[in-house]
Amino acid sequence: MEEVIENGAAKANRKADSAQDSPMPRYVIFLFAVACGMSVANIYFAQPLLDHLSIEFGIDYSIIGILITLTQIFYAAGLLLLVPLGDLLNQRRLIIGQMFLSVVALVIVGTASTSTVLFAGIAAVGLLAVVTQTIVAFAATMAAPAERGRVVGVVTSGIVIGILLARTIAGVLTDLAGWRSVYLVSAVFLFLLVCVLFRVLPNREREVKPLSYLQLLGSVLKLFAQERLLRIRSVLAMLIFAAFSILWTPLVLPLSAPPLSLSHTAIGAFGLAGVAGALAAARAGRLADRGYGQRTTGFALSLLLLSWLLISYVEQSLFALAIGIVLLDLAVQAVHVTNQSMIFTLGAEARSRLTAGYMVFYSIGSSAGSIASTYTYAHLGWEGVCLLGASVSALALVYWALTRRVSAIPRK
């Protein structure tokens, strides 16, 4: 039996959590998931549009890639500067306000007439997309303790699905009506969603500590110093999302090259396999609710390692690749949901800051995985990429095994 070490902050906040006894309506959970998916998709739309943007704005191919980097930099900045505000301000107003500003940013990008305006709009889109993490923290606060993992799992699945489908949606809309339609259509639908959330989201006032903004940001570092569970789960997040990026960043290269030479439509279809894995992993939250977070993590990390064996057969069997993608995305999503479910037990009053600190490690892992995978593919090919992904996955499994007994929380 796992050794149970319950954090003191979790004990202190159990009484506060017990006030949320009624289950969250399913339509509210669904709206949260849709809002997360739509918001996060905005920062991935540009990836398949770089050729169009380069031609229209006269930007050299060697420079246009900075758009993607800029988006990620401002997203990381938003994690540190905006997400912690959820512990200081009214979360409903913060979510609606950020999403409305996202609509404005999307319109700026979709109507940009100069490269300067384009870059500024893209930066604002990246900065404001962190509303997804504020939504996750708000959903965890609204959920009853017994269903928190399930709710977080469903809402987080919306994020993964948004990431996986963004490229496909951008490609279809660009073929139909040009690249500007991608951002303008997204702006319209996001505005409609803001109107719905304005009517649906409850206006729950909470008791918050009177902190200044600088004190709020500093408290994120204090949480890392105080909470061992947060540190352990953040490192796991860094490793699993590095593995995620190691797969998805260079995957188009072997699929589009001979002997496969797949079309962009066919390549985009593999994103649907990833969606299947993300949806299946939503059940991981329910296991975390029942106190099986550690076992779920170990099983998922084992699947993650196994998935690279199937992914390595990309030229021999596309079916094996599809199964490997399902297993990898299922594993990553299962660990991610379990991570968040466990760290949210550390304190009801600090969930936005916990999310901000945790997601910084997510960003570090994603960025490192992308850089390492493209470099590895250029020098060692797809076999090298798979070996890199398997090595990171094995490291995550070993790390979990070494830390599982000092980061367990009790079964309910």
Side-chain angles (χ1 to χ4, degrees), residues 45-266:
F45 283 148
Q47 291 187 355
L49 307 179
L50 294 181
D51 284 349
H52 298 273
L53 297 174
S54 176
I55 294 171
E56 177 153 346
F57 292 95
I59 304 173
D60 190 83
Y61 283 143
S62 62
I63 299 176
I64 192 65
I66 294 177
L67 270 178
I68 307 302
T69 304
L70 189 68
T71 306
Q72 296 296 334
I73 289 174
F74 274 81
Y75 184 82
L79 290 174
L80 289 174
L81 301 177
L82 297 182
V83 174
L85 288 173
D87 292 333
L88 187 63
L89 305 178
N90 181 288
Q91 288 176 300
R92 176 181 181 273
R93 296 172 189 167
L94 186 62
I95 291 169
I96 292 173
Q98 281 187 244
M99 291 184 67
F100 179 77
L101 291 176
S102 293
V103 172
V104 176
L106 289 168
V107 172
I108 290 174
V109 174
T111 59
S113 57
T114 67
S115 59
T116 301
V117 175
L118 175 69
F119 276 67
I122 286 289
V125 168
L127 181 72
L128 295 165
V130 297
V131 69
T132 55
Q133 305 308 322
T134 304
I135 293 172
V136 172
F138 188 39
T141 299
M142 288 182 59
E147 65 165 2
R148 182 167 296 128
R150 178 181 66 85
V151 171
V152 170
V154 174
V155 175
T156 305
S157 293
I159 297 176
V160 178
I161 292 171
I163 293 173
L164 294 174
L165 294 185
R167 300 171 184 86
T168 302
I169 294 172
V172 171
L173 287 176
T174 300
D175 290 340
L176 292 175
W179 72 267
R180 294 181 185 274
S181 69
V182 177
Y183 292 96
L184 296 177
V185 168
S186 180
V188 170
F189 279 96
L190 199 62
F191 177 75
L192 294 176
L193 186 57
V194 168
C195 295
V196 174
L197 292 175
F198 182 80
R199 296 180 60 88
V200 170
L201 290 186
N203 189 21
R204 291 185 175 175
E205 298 293 344
R206 301 165 300 151
E207 291 186 8
V208 296
K209 295 181 179 180
L211 298 175
S212 69
Y213 181 60
L214 291 179
Q215 288 174 326
L216 184 74
L217 298 183
S219 65
V220 176
L221 298 178
K222 291 182 180 179
L223 283 171
F224 269 105
Q226 295 170 354
E227 306 294 353
R228 180 165 50 184
L229 177 62
L230 176 60
R231 296 194 298 271
I232 290 172
R233 288 284 153 172
S234 294
V235 172
L236 276 178
M238 180 178 65
L239 293 172
I240 63 171
F241 282 107
F244 183 86
S245 292
I246 288 170
L247 168 68
W248 286 105
T249 300
L251 180 61
V252 65
L253 300 176
L255 293 180
S256 59
L260 296 175
S261 301
L262 298 182
S263 66
H264 287 292
T265 301

Side-chain angles (χ1 to χ4, degrees), residues 250-323:
L251 180 61
V252 65
L253 300 176
L255 293 180
S256 59
L260 296 175
S261 301
L262 298 182
S263 66
H264 287 292
T265 301
I267 294 172
F270 282 96
L272 298 178
V275 169
L279 289 173
R283 293 186 174 272
R286 297 186 179 184
L287 293 174
D289 287 335
R290 296 169 58 187
Y292 295 104
Q294 289 291 357
R295 296 182 184 180
T296 302
T297 301
F299 180 73
L301 290 174
S302 299
L303 287 182
L304 180 62
L305 182 58
L306 174 65
S307 69
W308 287 104
L309 176 63
L310 297 171
I311 292 169
S312 67
Y313 288 102
V314 61
E315 292 186 0
Q316 291 78 19
S317 173
L318 292 179
F319 178 75
L321 173 64
I323 297 300

